[in-house]
Amino acid sequence: MPRISAIATAVPDLDFEPDYRRWALSRLGEGREGKLYERMANRSGIEHRWSVLDEADARLDEGVGFYGGEPPSTSARMAIYAEEAPELALKAIAGLPELGRVTHLVVASCTGFVAPGIDQIVARRLGLGADVERVLVGFMGCYAAVTALRTARHIVRSEPLARVLVVTVELSSLHHQEEMDLEPLLMGAQFGDGAAAAIVTAGEAGLELGEGISAALEESDELITWRIGDTGFHMRLSGEVPGRIATALAEPIVQQRGTGGRDPGEIAAWAVHAGGRSILDAVEKGLHLSPDALDASREVLRLCGNMSSSTLMFALKRIMRDRPESGVALAFGPGLAMEGFRFGWADAG
């Protein structure tokens, strides 16, 4: 059976969370909305978020840095993506204990586009053979890591000698938008940059990748959207999302699909996309999980914020250290859709 034998992660050097909070408060002022923002930011569970921009460019003050004048065009943002996304991806790959002979490369990213693609750039920079098969998973949003890992699973199941390198890289900080209202400012306070890399193969010890999980909520198309505009990519994240997730997960048929018939409390590990504190609270409530069940995801949220597709990989890395006998990975994204898979530790052989 296919297994994740190693996971490595990377974030850029600049923590821009303090500057964003200062800037957001300056937009809202000292009145009711400013105080509400500060209270909600303090309760968000996020202490750090990272950006590929340098300290000067990341400043949000008017007249300073990349965002200081007129909102940067999408082409200007993509120029930075083309340069920085491969670098951050390679930083994550460098953290793998052993790359070995890679036969397939699967890359997921939804925060930028470049051609030749990130997959080709990374393959060339790593010196991978010209015969390495590549798959690029683009613009799927926060659950793209699930799709990338399930793709690797299918490859290994069809080619048992395959060694698949899976990479996720997201530069969410390139899509900052000038906003004056409380709701979009709070949404913008969730996202940061990050990359992860994993090896999926057969026979080595690791997290065995089990059956996939997919579910799309009815009449939810507009709850999470991710649209390309003239000044970057524009996200809409409805406040209804946590409640809809909690309601959906409470349904017996959804729980049956997710856990394979087991009671959620019997599952040893939960790797849940840390889309925000309210998302994690909704999962905990919907599945009636213990207060510590999502500790790995909450710690990722605290240290890095929401890194779109990379976030789940960060949680899996933490969970992998404990070698859980059973686990479920879940992520949520545009649709509103839930994607996931079951997993469990397996020794070599």
Side-chain angles (χ1 to χ4, degrees), residues 2 54 65 181 204 228 257 264 279 312 329 333:
D54 62 30
D181 298 326
E204 297 182 17
I228 300 174
R257 193 179 304 165
I279 299 294
L312 184 70

Side-chain angles (χ1 to χ4, degrees), residues 316-339:
L316 283 167
K317 178 186 177 182
R318 290 179 172 275
I319 286 170
M320 193 169 177
R321 301 169 187 165
D322 298 329
R323 302 187 175 192
E325 58 87 18
S326 63
V328 173
L330 293 176
F332 311 92
L336 170 66
M338 176 182 74
E339 302 289 344

Side-chain angles (χ1 to χ4, degrees), residues 7 17 19 41 44 57-58 77 90 135-136 153 164 187 234 237 271 282 304 317-318 335 341 343 347:
I7 302 176
E17 171 64 12
D19 186 62
S44 68
D57 275 340
R77 299 172 198 241
L90 289 164
V135 177
L136 182 60
R153 175 180 183 265
V164 186
M187 185 193 70
H234 299 258
L237 182 61
C304 303
K317 178 186 177 182
R318 290 179 172 275
F341 55 84
F343 63 86
D347 293 323

Side-chain angles (χ1 to χ4, degrees), residues 79-100:
I80 296 176
Y81 176 89
E83 181 177 346
E84 297 293 342
E87 294 295 333
L88 190 58
L90 289 164
K91 182 178 179 181
I93 294 167
L96 291 171
E98 182 182 359
L99 195 57

